[in-house]
Amino acid sequence: MDVAFELTPLAAAKLIAYSFGALIYLFLMVLILGQRRLRRFEWLLFALMAALFMWNSGNLLSLNLSLAYGVAPAIHERFARLIPFLGAILCAPLVVHVHAEYAFPLPGTAGRVVVARFPKRLLIALFYLPLIGAPWLVGRLLGRLELDPLVALRLFVRPLVLWIVLALVVAAAFNARLWQVSRHLRPARFHAWLAGIEAFLAAGFAWAYLARSLPFFPQGGLGGYFPTLLMLLAVVPGGLVAYSIFRYNFLDLRVQRNLIYSLVAIFALLIYLNFVRRLSGFLEQRDILPSAVTEGVMIFILVVFLEPVKKRINRALEKVFASEFARVQKLSAEIQDFAKRSGEIEALKGFVEEKVKTEMGLERVTLWFGRVAIAVGNPSGPPSKDRLLPIRRGSEVIGVLQVAPAGPEFSGEQIAALQLLADQLAAAIELCQLIADKVKLERELAEKAKMAFLGEMAARIAHNVKNPLSSMKTLVQLLEEDPSLGERVREDCRLVILEIDRLNANVSQVLRYAKPARDIDRAVDLSKVVSSVLTLMRADAERRGVQLEFAPPSGPCLVKGGEEAANDIVSNLVVNAIEAGAPESADPSHRDDTARWQHPARKVTVTITGDDSGRGQVRLSVGDQGRGIPADLKAKIFQPFFTTRAGGTGLGLAIVARRAEEIGGAVECVSPLGPEGGTRFLVWFRAAT
């Protein structure tokens, strides 16, 4: 609502103050809207910037209309008065709301709580309450265009100023408290400056409009040099916010520095051209210099200063590059250090994704490896704002870094920094893989050392336990055959023989697990091994009520691994399947066949199939109709001495896994097979050509 009738030094000062205010707050509005996702606080900050922009741009428009027309047309005058008035009355509650929202975040969120249990909503509501009378004040202001704005609102100027002063006092108190509780130097300085400026503005407005008579000047407007100084000082908080965003990513609002330099250069050029036009008109009106001469001199001055400005911009860009390079180097060093400590690719993947996202201010970061990386690097879907940065080791692509910007698009320095980071990630990935391979090798060596110790212990067991067991069994068998003993004693002898056989089997299983298989490179007919094992176990399976099924292939099925390893794999899987598929009441110690008639026969199915993928493998499948294996136990079933069966050693499946590893094969468990349970073990052998 500021006006002037001629370009005096005071009017020029007002033009400068409002021009800077309009430009800075317009820039902040564009910057905030440029973010991809705005939270409630960002929307409130945008509203405050918009209100301050309305105040500065409206007064700037009013000044220019007065200088151009003297008395502007009514419609222009209404528009020029309405914009700054709305901005002024919105500033007071928005200033309090923004500061309260910043100092008192929502419960459950990380933020800057100043005082516990502060009545934030009540405070905000009190400052929004005067807006109820805004429509009436707007009507009064627009209905008396012939009067100066301060005269038109004479009775309400002081309450409005008091409202704004109180808002500035509350804001200064918030920033003063934030200055005290800030743990870091930069935020503390920022809040200290804001508190001081807001306190000075509150005192200045109180002195200019409350403690003294209202400044009614012949030229109209809001006052002389001191109020104009206050208007210029009111631009400083916006400049502090813009500088903090630019240098320190204040409020996590990240900007493109090259865009800022471009905008600043454009705004400076526009201001300079406007200044040239004003100055040339001013000098020509007073017959000092023709406007053409003034414009020529000002353009020459601009050319003279062009080279120093260019050097200054180059130095600024060099600093930007140096800071981005230093940040990337620091981030790369942290990733390298984590790779050394971790040695796990998946852990490194999670660390890189989280760290790069936080440090680079991105919305999403995904690191891909192997075949997935190749598929991601060759997208067939619609284009998006995501960037795919290949991670190369020489000419080989070992990964892809997929990144998505937090704003509408990437800045130039972000792209350069991410490309540099992607080039350095290859070393971290390779280091992590080397450490993982080293750890795996150390574990294998430790496992082999353990197996060697177990083998030595098993040999001692064979010498110290197995031979005495054989002697004991012979003696007990002789006692069982003695006709002079009673039937009760001979029955006890038979039980002792069964227990000796069980102990002997357990010791033999430990020996089999501890000793590596022999002749693992020799070819063997897997079909014959399966047929032999099933022939030996068919009687025991029938006693348990289990039916064995095997359809041998039409011809020989030669695999590598040797007969001993193949026999261990097949026999342990079949025994495991028989025990899992047997009815619970079927007792294998019974010597009659009654158990198999008490329950419907369950099947154990053994199949051998060739590999159609051309990888030279043969697959052995052993399936049962038991209860199945719970999901939480599937990862443990191949561990030594893990068992869920009473009396079991837990070595059967461990032997299968070890033999499969020794012969260069693999084993897999599929369970359950359906709603009723069932389990299938799949073993891949190398085909012998």
Side-chain angles (χ1 to χ4, degrees):
M1 295 183 293
D2 222 333
V3 295
F5 295 104
E6 59 177 328
L7 187 60
T8 61
L10 178 60
K14 292 181 178 181
L15 283 173
I16 293 173
Y18 293 130
S19 296
F20 274 109
L23 289 175
I24 286 180
Y25 291 115
L26 176 62
F27 169 74
L28 288 173
M29 289 169 59
V30 174
L31 178 62
I32 295 172
L33 280 183
Q35 306 302 310
R36 175 169 289 186
R37 295 177 181 174
L38 297 181
R39 298 165 294 181
R40 184 170 68 174
F41 177 75
E42 279 79 10
W43 281 114
L44 285 172
L45 186 62
F46 173 79
L48 177 59
M49 298 299 106
L52 291 168
F53 171 74
M54 291 169 62
W55 167 255
N56 287 279
S57 62
N59 280 304
L60 185 62
L61 176 62
S62 181
L63 282 169
N64 282 284
L65 287 175
S66 301
L67 292 173
Y69 294 102
V71 178
I75 186 171
H76 294 166
E77 188 68 25
R78 286 191 177 93
F79 190 68
R81 288 195 178 187
L82 178 62
I83 293 177
F85 179 75
L86 291 178
I89 63 175
L90 288 174
C91 279
L94 285 173
V95 163
V96 175
H97 198 168
V98 167
H99 282 77
E101 192 72 23
Y102 179 79
F104 303 96
L106 291 174
T109 60
R112 306 147 293 273
V113 179
V114 179
V115 181
R117 298 181 181 178
F118 190 85
K120 179 180 75 172
R121 294 182 178 178
L122 177 60
L123 176 68
I124 295 171
L126 288 176
F127 274 90
Y128 275 108
L129 189 62
L131 290 178
I132 297 175
W136 185 79
L137 289 177
V138 169
R140 183 180 180 88
L141 179 68
L142 299 182
R144 308 176 72 180
L145 294 177
E146 71 280 0
L147 299 178
D148 182 85
L150 292 180
V151 177
L153 298 175
R154 182 178 184 86
L155 297 177
F156 306 97
V157 171
R158 293 184 186 276
L160 288 175
V161 173
L162 179 61
W163 185 31
I164 295 174
V165 168
L166 289 177
L168 288 171
V169 169
V170 171
F174 276 133
N175 279 299
R177 181 58 180 161
L178 287 169
W179 169 45
Q180 294 177 358
V181 300
S182 294
R183 299 179 180 178
H184 302 287
L185 183 60
R186 289 172 182 170
R189 287 178 177 175
F190 174 75
H191 292 299
W193 274 99
L194 282 182
I197 293 171
E198 289 165 346
F200 184 84
L201 287 174
F205 286 136
W207 170 258
Y209 297 102
L210 298 179
R212 304 167 59 192
S213 60
L214 293 177
F216 300 119
F217 286 84
Q219 291 183 341
L222 299 181
Y225 284 101
F226 183 69
T228 303
L229 176 63
L230 294 178
M231 297 304 151
L232 185 60
L233 187 63
V235 180
V236 177
L240 287 175
V241 173
Y243 178 78
S244 299
I245 293 173
F246 174 70
R247 286 295 300 273
Y248 311 119
N249 297 320
F250 179 61
L251 300 177
D252 294 327
L253 297 174
R254 299 181 181 264
V255 297
Q256 303 182 27
R257 298 194 178 188
N258 51 359
L259 176 62
I260 290 180
Y261 293 145
S262 302
L263 289 175
V264 170
I266 292 173
F267 287 156
L269 184 59
L270 291 175
I271 292 172
Y272 187 78
L273 291 176
N274 186 57
F275 174 72
V276 169
R277 186 175 65 84
R278 297 281 187 185
L279 181 62
S280 62
F282 177 80
L283 295 178
E284 188 173 35
Q285 286 178 0
R286 286 160 177 77
D287 297 327
I288 299 176
L289 281 176
S291 60
V293 175
T294 305
E295 291 172 359
V297 172
M298 297 303 293
I299 292 174
F300 177 75
I301 293 175
L302 180 64
V303 173
V304 171
F305 284 99
L306 183 62
E307 187 62 27
V309 171
K310 177 184 175 183
K311 291 182 179 179
R312 185 68 179 266
I313 292 175
N314 287 337
R315 286 197 296 269
L317 291 175
E318 288 176 2
K319 289 182 180 179
V320 170
F321 175 78
S323 64
E324 290 295 328
F325 182 79
R327 182 168 64 164
V328 172
Q329 288 296 100
K330 180 182 177 183
L331 181 58
S332 177
E334 292 179 359
I335 293 174
Q336 291 273 3
D337 183 64
F338 183 85
K340 290 179 184 178
R341 291 184 285 105
S342 171
E344 297 181 2
I345 288 293
E346 288 300 321
L348 177 65
K349 179 178 183 295
F351 180 80
V352 169
E353 291 175 350
E354 183 62 30
K355 196 70 176 178
V356 173
K357 175 184 175 182
T358 303
E359 293 294 327
M360 305 299 292
L362 303 174
E363 180 188 11
R364 184 177 63 258
V365 176
T366 309
L367 184 60
W368 304 98
F369 299 112
R371 296 181 180 178
V372 179
I374 297 175
V376 171
N378 298 279
S380 57
S384 64
K385 293 182 180 180
D386 290 13
R387 281 293 187 101
L388 303 176
L389 304 172
I391 302 172
R392 302 181 184 274
R393 181 172 53 195
S395 59
E396 179 188 3
V397 177
I398 62 173
V400 169
L401 187 67
Q402 183 178 5
V403 292
E409 60 182 10
F410 288 100
S411 64
E413 57 265 22
Q414 273 185 322
I415 290 297
L418 288 170
Q419 288 176 342
L420 179 61
L421 180 64
D423 292 337
Q424 298 187 7
L425 276 178
I429 294 173
E430 190 171 6
L431 176 63
C432 191
Q433 289 175 337
L434 289 174
I435 294 176
D437 293 341
K438 179 184 176 183
V439 171
K440 181 180 178 182
L441 181 60
E442 290 176 349
R443 289 175 180 172
E444 290 178 353
L445 291 175
E447 186 69 19
K448 289 182 178 179
K450 184 176 72 174
M451 290 300 103
F453 174 76
L454 187 58
E456 182 181 353
M457 183 182 67
R460 293 180 181 179
I461 291 175
H463 179 73
N464 297 324
V465 177
K466 216 175 177 190
N467 291 338
L469 284 177
S470 299
S471 301
M472 292 166 58
K473 181 177 179 180
T474 301
L475 292 174
V476 174
Q477 284 176 335
L478 292 175
L479 287 174
E480 181 190 7
E481 295 174 357
D482 188 354
S484 63
L485 297 176
E487 183 61 28
R488 173 97 180 259
V489 176
R490 282 186 291 180
E491 182 64 26
D492 291 341
C493 290
R494 284 194 290 271
L495 292 176
V496 172
I497 292 171
L498 288 175
E499 289 301 311
I500 292 175
D501 288 339
R502 186 178 65 81
L503 290 174
N504 199 18
N506 289 342
V507 172
S508 299
Q509 202 169 31
V510 172
L511 286 171
R512 194 176 301 113
Y513 178 73
K515 292 173 58 179
R518 295 171 296 178
D519 301 328
I520 58 176
D521 291 327
R522 182 175 297 179
V524 62
D525 189 348
L526 184 60
S527 178
K528 289 185 177 180
V529 173
V530 173
S531 298
S532 176
V533 169
L534 295 183
T535 299
L536 293 175
M537 296 186 177
R538 195 172 300 277
D540 183 57
E542 290 180 354
R543 282 197 299 271
R544 293 174 180 265
V546 176
Q547 181 181 351
L548 301 180
E549 288 188 354
F550 173 57
S554 57
C557 184
L558 297 178
V559 297
K560 292 182 179 180
E563 184 175 355
E564 182 179 357
N567 187 78
D568 284 346
I569 291 173
V570 175
S571 60
N572 280 285
L573 286 179
V574 172
V575 168
N576 186 77
I578 292 173
E579 292 176 349
E584 295 182 1
S585 63
D587 187 355
S589 64
H590 291 173
R591 297 192 180 271
D592 53 36
D593 295 336
T594 57
R596 63 175 179 172
W597 303 112
Q598 296 174 358
H599 300 272
R602 295 185 178 181
K603 297 179 181 179
V604 170
T605 305
V606 183
T607 59
I608 298 175
T609 55
D611 185 17
D612 297 333
S613 63
R615 290 179 293 179
Q617 292 183 333
V618 175
R619 189 185 73 179
L620 170 69
S621 172
V622 180
D624 62 66
Q625 296 177 331
R627 294 182 177 180
I629 301 175
D632 57 335
L633 298 182
K634 288 177 68 175
K636 302 178 181 179
I637 58 176
F638 295 109
Q639 296 178 3
F641 308 109
F642 175 79
T643 181
T644 58
R645 184 173 57 88
T649 60
L651 288 174
L653 293 177
I655 293 173
V656 172
R658 188 181 183 197
R659 294 292 182 263
E661 181 182 359
E662 289 174 346
I663 66 176
V667 60
E668 179 185 354
C669 173
V670 181
S671 182
L673 301 178
E676 297 181 357
T679 303
R680 180 183 296 117
F681 285 92
L682 305 174
V683 183
W684 282 268
F685 292 82
R686 294 178 298 157
T689 55

